[in-house]
Amino acid sequence: QVQLVESGGGLVKPGGSLRLSCAASGFTFSDYYMSWIRQAPGKGLEWVSYISGSGYNIYYADSVKGRFTISRDNAKNSLYLQMNSLRAEDTAVYYCARESSTSRTIDYWGQGTLVTVSS
Amino acid sequence: DIQMTQSPSSLSASVGDRVTITCRASQGISNHLAWYQQKPGKVPKLLIYAASTLQSGVPSRFDGGGSGTDFTLTINSLQPEDVATYYCQKYNSAPWTFGQGTKVEIK
C-alpha cells in the first residue's frame, strides 16, 4: 500500500532554515509527480511546490519562490523540501503528496510534519 | 493566477438533507477541478476529479458538476460522517490552487 512519511519539521527562528523529507513506499516513486502542500493552523490548504518524476519539471507557489527548493532522490524513494529564509507565515503542517497518474490531483497524502517559525 | 472562490464558507444542515457547495474559478479551467474532504484532525481525501468523476471508494451520494468557471459539489442525503471541510482545487495549469474551504456541520 502507498505510504508517505514526512520528517524534519520543528521549531525554527525567523530567517532560519529547515529541510523536510518524505519517504515513499508502495509504488514506483519515479513514475509520479510529487507535491508539497501546507496548512497553517486552523486555515485552508495551500499548494507549495511540485516536481516531476524525473525531477526536471518543477514549479513553486509565488509565496515560496526563491526561498524553498524541492528535490527528489528516486534511488532512495525520497522527496525533499529545503526551506530557507523562513518567516512566521510559513508556520504550517507540511504534507508530502502524490499526484495521480491520470490527473494532476492528489491521490495520496502523508500525515504531515509541523513547521513552526517563531522567535 | 486563477483564483478559486467557494461558497458558502460554512453551512449547517440536517441528516438526510441535500447540500450543495459552489466553487467559482476566476477564469475558465474546463473540467480540471477536484474536490477534497478533510475531516477534523485528518488528512484530506480526494472525492472527485475531472469535475464529476467519483474517486474509487467514495460513496455515490457525492456528486460533482460544472465546467468552465462554475462548479458544484452536492451531497445527497447528508450523513453524520460527512462532517468535514470541503475544498475545491483547480489543476488545469500551475499553480494548483485550492478554494478557501467550506465547513459542513450537522444541525
Side-chain angles (χ1 to χ4, degrees):
Chain A
Q1 71 283 19
V2 172
Q3 280 198 310
L4 301 169
V5 180
E6 303 93 337
S7 60
L11 176 63
V12 61
K13 288 182 168 51
S17 297
L18 214 53
R19 189 195 196 206
L20 305 183
S21 299
C22 171
S25 61
F27 63 103
T28 305
F29 183 65
S30 59
D31 284 350
Y32 289 85
Y33 274 76
M34 298 294 294
S35 281
W36 287 99
I37 295 164
R38 68 185 181 183
Q39 187 168 34
K43 302 297 184 183
L45 300 169
E46 181 188 14
W47 170 80
V48 172
S49 179
Y50 72 61
I51 185 169
S52 63
S54 65
Y56 288 117
N57 188 13
I58 288 174
Y59 202 94
Y60 298 99
D62 285 346
S63 57
V64 306
K65 201 174 296 181
R67 301 187 299 123
F68 289 13
T69 301
I70 192 172
S71 62
R72 64 192 296 160
D73 184 336
N74 287 340
K76 294 183 178 179
N77 288 343
S78 293
L79 176 72
Y80 306 101
L81 186 68
Q82 178 66 43
M83 304 186 295
N84 298 331
S85 303
L86 283 161
R87 307 166 179 166
E89 54 265 35
D90 295 318
T91 294
V93 173
Y94 284 73
Y95 294 105
C96 167
R98 191 186 86 166
E99 296 193 11
S100 166
S101 59
T102 54
S103 67
R104 298 297 300 277
T105 57
I106 305 299
D107 59 0
Y108 285 94
W109 302 68
Q111 289 302 307
T113 187
L114 177 62
V115 172
T116 303
V117 184
S118 174
S119 55
Chain B
D1 293 346
I2 296 174
Q3 305 303 313
M4 305 301 293
T5 304
Q6 284 182 236
S7 60
S9 56
S10 66
L11 66 88
S12 181
S14 300
V15 172
D17 282 355
R18 174 181 293 176
V19 166
T20 297
I21 299 167
T22 297
C23 179
R24 175 164 289 175
S26 59
Q27 298 175 38
I29 59 171
S30 185
N31 70 335
H32 296 104
L33 192 282
W35 290 97
Y36 299 85
Q37 175 194 62
Q38 186 175 31
K39 295 183 178 181
K42 301 295 186 183
V43 167
K45 170 188 172 183
L46 178 64
L47 295 178
I48 287 169
Y49 62 94
S52 61
T53 302
L54 218 58
Q55 176 74 343
S56 175
V58 173
S60 59
R61 64 179 179 275
F62 290 93
D63 184 40
S67 182
T69 60
D70 294 309
F71 302 87
T72 57
L73 172 69
T74 299
I75 308 173
N76 295 292
S77 188
L78 185 69
Q79 299 300 304
E81 60 266 33
D82 300 333
V83 168
T85 300
Y86 294 84
Y87 297 92
C88 63
Q89 178 223 346
K90 69 96 173 169
Y91 58 94
N92 62 313
S93 63
W96 306 155
T97 306
F98 292 92
Q100 79 276 22
T102 296
K103 189 174 184 178
V104 173
E105 297 175 321
I106 299 291
K107 196 179 293 182

